[in-house]
């Protein structure tokens, strides 16, 4: 099943290495089929994957070409995280990041904040205001712990787009995706259990594992296709893993969309070893392709996938409204949600339900998706222009987060300190690893419409990195 | 230090037993001082405690009398919970209660819902609406994880009234008091640890202990003066207790305010055995006396008290805004709060900060306090009138919850089922015990201004109880 992925990786590597130059025509489908002894449709799938990732461009009737307009920087390397379950560290760096408040004097490239300033979000604010003026004040009452039925119905409807046929009763509304993750992990695991995670991985999910007393088994991850199934299989054979935690669609921080076939294969692995999957889909609706990619949950036929998500990235994080579709763990998750926070805030749930029901969600998504896609290209251009030679960059297929890999010896801890003094906030790579790897990496947010202020900030990041590298070289 | 409490209990018992009748003059302070060999001020303190609890009434220049206007039913008995740490049960009954949504066809006497319909809450709704109309939309952004500084400042200011001098930096804002409890317990305890709790105790706190894997050591509790310090001391000697969890001010479900001297003594015990105290003060601002009673936290000089509270009972629970003053556990609580939900919703925090800063909080409290006090008297009258002979009733000194104890053999499980069919919801006593005790008890909410509909509901509870008792007597 991973034939086409292997082929895509091979071709991708050739392009990255400069074997084919911008504008070059690539080998025909037929030629590659012969060369590699695979079917025509396998080659076509491989090309489609490369196309999704911006590495090749089709021209009608003439085949595939290396895109003209720009040379993309190389992709990040596949990580080599710890080969055994580890206790999670890095809280002291995470807390520095999440303690920061919105601040006009700092360009905040570090947090997972969407752009909330667009006009398509206005109806949500209107709903909120209207609810506050209603005589019966529904927002002031305790909600039922599984969440307002009106919202659960709308979420169930939205989830059809990712291939899930669920009903309102299959869902639990939570205080952001964060609580969905936390309640799900607690529903499945006991302290001391081992959880396999894609690496690099969202720092919040990792700190949640830490706080709940779990160990993380970090699995290497391909920057185009996601968690290595081969490495995962090996880990499942070697360790008593209880849960596989992944963000397969518009991954944070790498931005890839795991191909559908690999999603299915991941589910098969989980079934074979009888472990649960926690699928974090918080950026799933922000994939640049339409219709949006399917979730692993959509293939789940025995209730082992707990799908977690929220409106934090698609609408606004300050509302703190998320959900989980916990499959067979529904009752456990409900208990864990109850003990964490009781019920969820009522008013934002009602406002979001109204926003979706009135048809405002899809137009908003469409607008944000194309804004983010354009900002991505701009951000990659800036990094190409301002960052040290040899910098590698992810190719996000959705959302608004870019992963940047500096030369191996570089340490972003120092860079981060310097930048904070200069009014620029980034997210250091080390917090995306349980064990403090990825010290030479950083993550930047490109949600906002590009402005000279943002360009100047990105430029500062690059120039400081160049200076620090030079200083290091001199010292060394 | 408990001399005056002992004396008050003795006098209280004599009154309850009918030794003194309504209108009778009670022994003079001097006489009691001689009789019991205690100081005049000890007797005065005892009388003041009885007065706070509505058992005696002072008449200027003529001493203390048994109140004329009504005979209060007897107080609930002191519970005899398990004599060892237990695993917590009852989730199946709790979930039934907390799953219920607001429903116009059911008179909901079961939940801890305040009255949110009064005019003094309107400015809060206005603030919420205004925030939704602001151009810069502050409510949509991720807040810093410790909570909006503006709100933390206001909470620190309010806490002065309970004797605490804290700054904004000593506080963490949470998703309701529920998250404050959950983060605090996790900050102090490991799964398997033993937590001492006042019994009966808030079911949510107990389920949180359960969900986090703790064992509960239930300590007997006096319906006037709170957790038995003698029993607690014994338990501390016998078991490796990590945390003492109490609701000493306007206790849920018993409604007592633990006398200040006993609060100090509880802190001394905790210091002697070097354990932490989780003080749940969620109803503290709703005490009927002014100024409000001091918290245990206000005496804490080595940071071992984690004070948890929220605006759920004083303003509105649907907002889900609470806080914790975690003392020496601040960093741990912050981590646990982060892993539970990330940050707290931004907009309600800003609205509440504005409400308090604009001076609306105290007038609202004043109004609610006196409304609740009047409803309490009405509710006690109804129970006296409609419930079986021998029913015992708490004397809440604040908040809006009444604890009712039916004859010992009674089981509220059956009563609850019958009542739900008749559109009345109560809270069964068994959920207030870790081990399902208090089956013959129930809790009713008297927050709303009394109406014939509520009277009819209370009457239904009483009449069904009488019927079920008679049926049982016939069967037995
Ligand atoms: C992958 C991932 N999951 C979950 C979250 C948390 O989302 P929420 O803000 O809804 O709790 C984030 C936020 O950054 C994220 O990146
Ligand atoms: C004693 C006690 N603590 C905590 C809570 C939970 O409060 P919140 O709704 O703010 O989470 C309640 C609610 O009933 C309560 O009675």
């Amino acid at each position: 099943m991973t034939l086409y992925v292997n082929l895509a990786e091979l071709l991708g590597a050739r392009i990255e290495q400069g074997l084919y130059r911008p504008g070059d025509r690539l080998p025909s489908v037929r030629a590659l089929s012969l060369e590699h002894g695979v079917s025509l449709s396998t080659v076509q799938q491989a090309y489609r994957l490369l196309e999704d990732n911006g590495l090749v461009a089709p021209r009608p009737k003439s085949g595939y070409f290396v895109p003209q307009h720009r040379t993309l920087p190389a992709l990040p390397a596949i990580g080599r995280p710890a080969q055994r379950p580890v206790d999670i560290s890095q809280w002291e760096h995470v807390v520095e990041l999440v303690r920061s408040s919105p601040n006009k004097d700092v360009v905040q490239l570090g947090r997972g904040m969407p752009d909330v300033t667009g006009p398509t979000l206005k109806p949500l604010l209107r709903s909120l205001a209207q609810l506050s003026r209603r005589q019966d004040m529904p927002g002031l009452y305790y909600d039922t712990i599984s969440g307002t039925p009106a919202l659960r119905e709308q979420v169930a409807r939205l989830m059809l787009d990712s291939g899930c046929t669920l009903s309102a009763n299959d869902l639990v509304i939570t205080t952001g995706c964060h609580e969905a993750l936390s309640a799900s992990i607690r529903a499945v695991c006991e302290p001391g259990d081992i959880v396999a995670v894609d690496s690099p991985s969202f720092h919040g999910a990792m700190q949640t594992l830490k706080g709940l007393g779990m160990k993380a088994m970090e699995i290497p991850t391909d920057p185009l296709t996601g968690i290595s199934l081969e490495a995962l299989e090996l880990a499942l054979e070697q360790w008593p893993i209880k849960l596989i935690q992944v963000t397969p669609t518009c991954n944070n921080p790498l931005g890839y969309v795991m191909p559908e076939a690999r999603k299915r294969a991941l589910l098969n692995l989980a079934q074979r070893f009888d472990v649960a999957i926690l699928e974090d889909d918080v950026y799933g609706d922000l994939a640049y392709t339409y219709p949006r990619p399917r979730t692993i949950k959509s293939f789940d036929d025995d209730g082992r996938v707990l799908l977690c998500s929220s409106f934090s990235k698609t609408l606004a994080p300050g509302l703190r409204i998320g959900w989980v579709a916990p499959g067979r763990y529904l009752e456990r998750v409900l208990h864990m949600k109850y003990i964490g926070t009781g019920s969820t805030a009522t008013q934002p749930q009602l406002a979001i339900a109204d926003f979706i029901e009135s048809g405002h969600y899809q137009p908003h998504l469409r607008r944000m998706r194309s804004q983010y896609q354009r900002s991505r290209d701009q951000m990659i251009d800036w990094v190409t222009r301002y960052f040290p030679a040899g910098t590698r960059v992810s190719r996000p297929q959705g959302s608004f987060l870019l992963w940047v890999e500096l030369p191996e010896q570089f340490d972003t801890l120092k860079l981060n300190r310097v930048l904070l003094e200069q009014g620029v906030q980034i997210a250091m790579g080390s917090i995306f690893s349980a064990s403090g790897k990825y010290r030479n990496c950083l993550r930047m947010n490109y949600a906002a419409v590009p402005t000279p202020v943002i360009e100047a900030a990105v430029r500062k990041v690059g120039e400081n990195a160049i200076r620090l590298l030079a200083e290091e070289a001199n010292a060394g």
Side-chain angles (χ1 to χ4, degrees), chain A:
Chain A
M1 71 83 223
T2 53
L3 265 184
Y4 80 92
V5 177
N6 291 340
L7 180 58
E9 280 172 353
L10 190 98
L11 289 170
R14 287 185 184 170
I15 298 168
E16 303 270 347
Q17 288 154 13
L19 211 68
Y20 306 106
R21 318 290 313 179
D24 276 4
R25 182 184 173 153
L26 290 159
S28 71
V29 171
R30 183 168 305 271
L32 284 174
S33 151
L34 276 173
E35 180 185 343
H36 295 277
V38 297
S39 72
L40 293 177
S41 82
T42 299
V43 179
Q44 270 154 350
Q45 277 184 292
Y47 266 136
R48 212 162 306 130
L49 181 58
L50 289 167
E51 188 188 336
D52 286 349
N53 286 289
L55 280 172
V56 309
R59 271 189 226 152
K61 306 254 159 86
S62 13
Y64 287 91
F65 289 77
V66 181
Q68 257 303 2
H69 58 295
R70 62 195 175 110
T71 320
L72 286 172
L75 280 170
I78 296 186
R80 271 153 309 174
Q83 290 305 297
R84 44 172 46 260
V86 293
D87 287 322
I88 295 152
S89 57
Q90 308 304 310
W91 167 240
E92 69 280 13
H93 297 311
V94 173
V95 75
E96 209 180 299
L97 183 65
V98 293
R99 245 186 188 150
S100 63
S101 327
N103 179 340
K104 274 182 222 72
D105 302 329
V106 177
V107 183
Q108 289 184 322
L109 304 174
R111 293 195 71 176
M113 179 69 205
D115 184 3
V116 294
T117 62
T120 47
L121 209 53
K122 295 285 180 244
L124 181 65
L125 292 160
R126 268 202 303 278
S127 281
L128 279 167
Q130 269 158 13
L131 280 163
S132 303
R133 282 194 306 265
R134 260 172 63 175
Q135 276 303 319
D136 58 344
M137 301 168 294
L140 300 185
Y141 290 81
Y142 273 121
D143 188 18
T144 167
I145 52 167
S146 41
T148 308
L151 181 61
R152 281 185 281 135
E153 270 154 35
Q154 294 305 320
V155 170
R157 216 158 58 83
L158 292 182
M159 286 182 70
L160 285 172
D161 292 350
S162 68
C164 290
T165 45
L166 295 172
S167 84
N169 289 332
D170 300 318
L171 299 170
V172 178
I173 303 294
T174 55
T175 304
C177 185
H178 218 121
E179 188 181 39
L181 297 174
S182 166
S184 296
I185 294 165
R186 272 202 305 226
V188 177
C189 302
E190 301 290 323
D193 281 350
I194 304 173
V195 177
V197 296
D198 44 15
S199 174
S201 201
F202 167 52
H203 48 80
M206 218 118 54
Q207 291 303 320
T208 300
L209 288 177
K210 175 188 169 72
L212 299 176
M214 315 299 158
K215 285 182 192 303
M217 178 74 213
E218 297 182 279
I219 308 292
T221 296
D222 183 280
L224 288 183
T225 60
I227 190 167
S228 158
L229 296 177
E230 298 68 29
L232 177 61
E233 185 170 358
L234 223 73
L236 286 165
E237 275 161 7
Q238 275 195 318
W239 306 97
I241 289 168
K242 271 287 191 57
L243 176 69
I244 303 166
Q245 181 170 320
V246 286
T247 308
T249 309
C250 314
N251 176 268
N252 173 9
L254 281 169
Y256 58 80
V257 172
M258 199 173 172
E260 210 171 288
R262 287 180 80 92
K263 284 179 177 165
R264 279 183 198 268
L266 176 57
L267 180 62
N268 286 344
L269 262 186
Q271 283 170 341
R272 182 141 70 83
F273 288 89
D274 195 19
V275 299
I277 296 178
L278 194 167
E279 178 177 23
D280 185 339
D281 190 51
V282 77
Y283 298 100
D285 279 358
L286 293 175
Y288 302 150
T289 50
Y290 187 82
R292 61 148 288 173
R294 289 187 64 158
T295 50
I296 302 174
K297 178 83 184 168
S298 73
F299 304 114
D300 179 26
D301 50 17
D302 63 358
R304 69 176 65 243
V305 179
L306 303 100
L307 183 121
C308 297
S309 192
S310 79
F311 293 106
S312 296
K313 311 303 178 178
T314 49
L315 301 179
L319 303 172
R320 311 305 302 129
I321 300 298
W323 68 90
V324 44
R328 61 167 83 150
Y329 302 97
L330 181 65
E331 282 302 314
R332 287 276 303 157
V333 165
L334 201 61
H335 193 188
M336 294 301 132
K337 188 267 175 303
Y338 176 65
I339 71 159
T341 57
S343 52
T344 305
T346 314
Q347 183 145 323
Q349 290 189 68
L350 293 170
I352 294 173
D354 183 45
F355 182 83
I356 304 172
E357 206 183 345
S358 313
H360 297 303
Y361 186 73
Q362 294 301 347
H364 176 65
L365 273 193
R366 271 200 300 280
R367 185 191 162 93
M368 299 323 291
R369 274 196 302 253
S370 70
Q371 170 178 329
Y372 295 153
Q373 194 167 6
R374 271 175 285 131
S375 311
R376 172 198 64 179
D377 293 344
Q378 180 61 79
M379 185 60 111
I380 291 181
D381 276 356
W382 284 338
V383 172
T384 313
R385 201 172 313 155
Y386 298 126
F387 274 54
T391 297
R392 291 157 166 265
V393 173
S394 62
R395 303 220 202 308
Q397 298 309 300
S399 122
F400 43 74
L401 300 167
L402 193 73
W403 183 251
V404 178
E405 186 181 318
L406 291 155
E408 197 153 359
Q409 73 277 19
F410 195 81
D411 191 338
T412 43
L413 191 64
K414 213 167 175 181
L415 176 64
N416 185 45
R417 254 190 242 120
V418 175
L419 286 172
L420 281 177
E421 282 164 22
Q422 300 184 18
V424 181
Q425 182 209 50
I426 55 164
M428 295 189 296
S430 61
I431 63 175
F432 297 88
S433 159
S435 48
K437 310 262 164 192
Y438 314 120
R439 284 183 193 287
N440 59 325
C441 301
L442 59 93
R443 195 194 68 181
M444 290 192 296
N445 180 314
Y446 58 79
V449 174
T451 61
V453 173
I454 300 175
E455 180 172 10
V458 176
R459 186 174 186 155
K460 262 186 208 161
V461 183
E463 287 175 352
N464 277 298
I466 292 172
R467 187 174 54 75
L468 288 170
L469 268 172
E471 281 177 19
E472 226 166 72
N474 287 344

